[in-house]
Amino acid sequence: MKLNPIRTSISLCLTTRMMSSTAAMTTTTPKSGPAALIFLHGLGDTPAGWSSLKDMLPSIQPRLKDVTYVFPPAPTIPITINGGATMPGWFDILDWPIGLKARDDPKGMLSSVSKIEEEVSRLVSEEGIPKHRIVVGGFSQGGAIALLSAYRSSTEQPYAGCISLSGWVTLKEDVIETLSSLPNNNKNIPLFWGHGEYDDKVLFEQQEFGVKLLQEHGVTVSSSSYPVGHSSDPEEIRAFANFLDDLLYGSCEDADTTKTS
């Protein structure tokens, strides 16, 4: 039996533009500020599944209209739990559901991390947005790659932050080794982690385990859970927007202070 594509069930669906399957979907407002969000879709999905974030997030926090939004496409690869049939995926899935004992696909995971680093290099060279003003995030498999990109990298310049919606920590030993060797300012990339309490695909236990692991190694984590399965929740998107706005632009009080000082 083939696995159905795993998609978000956000109820606030907005009109989106379709994209080519061979290039990342990138949207920039006319007054784009020096910040970006790279957001990765889940298994079996496409960038169009989450591209409404470019409208949804600014509708909650208007300052986010100045963010450059990038929605890369996953490659089409054979998926073991799908009987080897191909579908969009950031890496192979070997076990189902995805609990704490789920096996990793290191080759596929690291290949996807490299693809995200290519997007970062493009944003730096073409858009003039430094890495420390780029947030990496994703849903499900995308969240797993976002976490790996943020907390396994040993580069001197960290991301501005990380967003994981229903994701999980992969290559745990590598992540622990990296975080243990980095100075505090490099490993403390703020993280927002939202997860459905009734998730039967990426099990809810992954959030508690991942949050604890990262916090124990110096990461500041804002975590929350919602009464849903493997999907997003309107309150989760609101919390996501508030986290991103505060991360990139500071509180409204800070902005007012800056203007009057």
Side-chain angles (χ1 to χ4, degrees):
M1 179 181 294
K2 288 188 177 182
L3 186 71
N4 290 329
I6 300 172
R7 292 178 179 268
T8 173
S9 63
I10 298 175
S11 60
L12 302 175
C13 294
L14 300 174
T15 302
T16 60
R17 291 179 291 182
M18 300 304 295
M19 47 77 67
S20 165
S21 62
T22 60
M25 174 184 286
T26 306
T27 61
T28 310
T29 60
K31 296 182 180 180
S32 178
L37 170 66
I38 300 173
F39 196 88
L40 315 179
H41 62 77
L43 178 66
D45 205 353
T46 68
W50 281 91
S51 62
S52 59
L53 285 177
K54 71 183 186 295
D55 299 313
M56 198 178 303
L57 297 177
S59 75
I60 299 168
Q61 288 290 352
R63 291 187 294 184
L64 297 178
K65 70 182 185 301
D66 294 327
V67 170
T68 294
Y69 293 90
V70 182
F71 302 97
T76 298
I77 61 172
I79 301 296
T80 296
I81 61 164
N82 200 24
T86 60
M87 64 195 309
W90 296 106
F91 51 88
D92 193 9
I93 298 291
L94 304 171
D95 299 292
W96 196 256
I98 301 169
L100 297 180
K101 295 183 180 180
R103 293 167 292 171
D104 291 332
D105 168 25
K107 182 178 179 180
M109 291 169 177
L110 296 180
S111 175
S112 288
V113 168
S114 295
K115 289 182 174 64
I116 305 312
E117 291 174 349
E118 290 174 4
E119 290 293 340
V120 171
S121 296
R122 187 189 62 78
L123 285 168
V124 172
S125 62
E126 297 181 12
E127 305 287 344
I129 302 173
K131 187 176 180 181
H132 68 267
R133 293 288 291 162
I134 298 173
V135 177
V136 61
F139 173 77
S140 190
Q141 256 203 344
I145 291 300
L147 288 165
L148 194 60
S149 297
Y151 301 112
R152 185 184 176 277
S153 174
S154 59
T155 59
E156 294 183 1
Q157 190 176 58
Y159 286 98
C162 183
I163 308 287
S164 174
L165 307 184
S166 303
W168 72 101
V169 176
T170 60
L171 302 182
K172 301 176 185 68
E173 293 183 1
D174 287 7
V175 170
I176 291 172
E177 181 179 355
T178 298
L179 291 175
S180 299
S181 65
L182 291 175
N184 288 336
N185 62 321
N186 277 46
K187 61 185 169 186
N188 192 15
I189 301 170
L191 168 66
F192 172 77
W193 190 324
H195 214 109
E197 296 169 2
Y198 309 117
D199 196 330
D200 60 351
K201 296 177 175 64
V202 180
L203 302 185
F204 185 48
E205 64 186 14
Q206 290 280 15
Q207 184 189 40
E208 180 180 4
F209 176 86
V211 167
K212 182 179 179 182
L213 183 151
L214 295 171
Q215 286 179 330
E216 287 178 346
H217 290 84
V219 178
T220 299
V221 183
S222 173
S223 63
S224 55
S225 60
Y226 304 90
V228 296
H230 192 64
S231 63
S232 186
D233 180 88
E235 288 303 313
E236 181 181 39
I237 297 301
R238 182 172 297 278
F240 175 0
N242 292 339
F243 175 86
L244 187 63
D245 181 74
D246 187 60
L247 182 67
L248 294 177
Y249 302 112
S251 66
C252 293
E253 289 79 6
D254 292 340
D256 291 340
T257 301
T258 302
K259 289 178 181 178
T260 57
S261 62

